[in-house]
Amino acid sequence: MNKITIFKVAISLVILFLKQEVNAITAQEIHRADIVIYGGTSAAIMAAVQSVRLGKSVVVVSPDIHLGGLSSSGLGFTDTGDKSVIGGLSREFYHRVYLHYQKKSAWNWQKKENYGNKGQGTPAIDGNERTMWIFEPHVAEQIMEDFIKENRIKVYRNEWLNRELGVELKLGKIISFTTLGKKKFVGKMFIDATYEGDLMAASKVSYHIGRESNQVYNEQWNGAQPLVFQHGHYFKNNIDPYRIIGDTTSGLLAGISGKQTILKGVGDEKIQAYTYRMCLTDQPENRISFPKPDHYNPLDYELLIRVFNSGWNELFNKYDPLPNHKTDTNNHGPFSTDYIGMNHDYPNASYKRRREILKAHENYQKGLMYFMATDPRIPKNVQENLNKWGLAKDEFKDNENWPYQIYVREARRMIGSYIMTENEVLGKKEVPNSVGMGSYSLDSHNVQRYVTPEGYLQNEGDVGVKAPKPYGIAYGSIIPKKEECLNLLVPVCLSSSHIAYGSVRMEPVFMILGESASTAASLAIDNQTNVQDVDYAKLKTLLLNQKQRLNLQD
């Protein structure tokens, strides 16, 4: 082969390579917006709506097909706290719930006058404020979809961030991110509104997982909390943990981490338990019997028999009523729907591993209901009452009537410009530059189930300490440190200690912070500044004009 031929071949190869590169770039969809929101939660939807109202182009990139997060996935018995500090778009959501249930057509399984109007510390229907705080899952989802449609918001569903290589950073800013579906999203400002904080983590922003030691932030209720019993989620009697009672060589029952001496206030990398908030009904025409899960082993629920045998009888205490003979069914008692200790690796896990964890939680919870409905050792009166209940046929219809979203009570938490702690929640420390308010108790579910030094079974991690009054949530807690990222806001996995997050992590608050995050992002765009340099006085004025509550004086 002579030199001319070699040169022609080389030129041809270069041209072929360039064509392939051009085709690859062409094949990748590129979408641009002023504000790019990652997540399909209630915070994401409110952030998107507010972006449009402030005249910004916006796109929502949602790993979820169904929008609204937990608000649309069974958590209809709203954790309101002090509802007077819920303002802005969050209150508008609950006003739309109210309007829905004013229609006669909304009451298809129950007459409105027969609904008990029970809420969580407040009436479900507040006629004076024209709000309703309790609702069916499909109602919440429809309202979320209405928000999207009315504001002509573009949503890309089932699009998952490429966590390894998808985020493009330059000079401290996110330029774009790419999904596993090969879509690229370019923006001026970015909001991570996921429960997991994946965009935040992929953008190299600092975060924490687990319980900090009490010494880190001078707290009392962070860290491990052995023998702290502030709810009813613990073993009140001595329960033997072994497969064969009294035989320590027979092995532990399922779900027990082992014998431990746990020191109070010590930090660890463990997180509070997750659950699915099932929507159950006792309406025969709308009821589906509890299904047998894919992997069912009655031995996984042996401990429950011992709990019943100890005299416990509170099974139905958290079948909180929703309209139309339905429930928001929450964990209650020492052995319940929380799959304690089985989620500790979830926050940083790969997508594949997360799917395994979610499936294990689903199997556990379905198996629990099936076990109680069918096992002959369950007390007869309990079993008869349980079998009056089942999954609601008209909820989650494309998911075998099972909630779309697990309750991620806690995952990653950003270490941002300001860190919320129990001292702010309990009123011991003033909050600078508030962008919303919380009011719920310091609330952590159990973290682990272990054998005490005395040889008996116990749960650990459950805390419930009332906040004396509503408190502000600092702007600095939803933005990263300036040296880490200049154009990202994080309204869900915000900067908070474990125990303070137990108060902040309520759906109305996430909506509030989503709206505040998009307002700050819009200001940053208008003033061509970083999120850390937003003029708080201007931000406060905008938020108050949006009827947000920032402190008790506003």
Side-chain angles (χ1 to χ4, degrees), residues 316-328:
F316 302 102
N317 284 27
K318 286 301 290 177
Y319 280 42
D320 293 315
L322 306 181
N324 288 310
H325 285 287
K326 296 177 187 175
T327 73
D328 169 353

Side-chain angles (χ1 to χ4, degrees), residues 193-211:
T194 62
Y195 291 121
E196 295 84 3
D198 283 342
L199 178 59
M200 171 191 71
S203 303
K204 312 303 180 187
V205 171
S206 298
Y207 61 87
H208 186 80
I209 297 172
R211 301 181 288 188

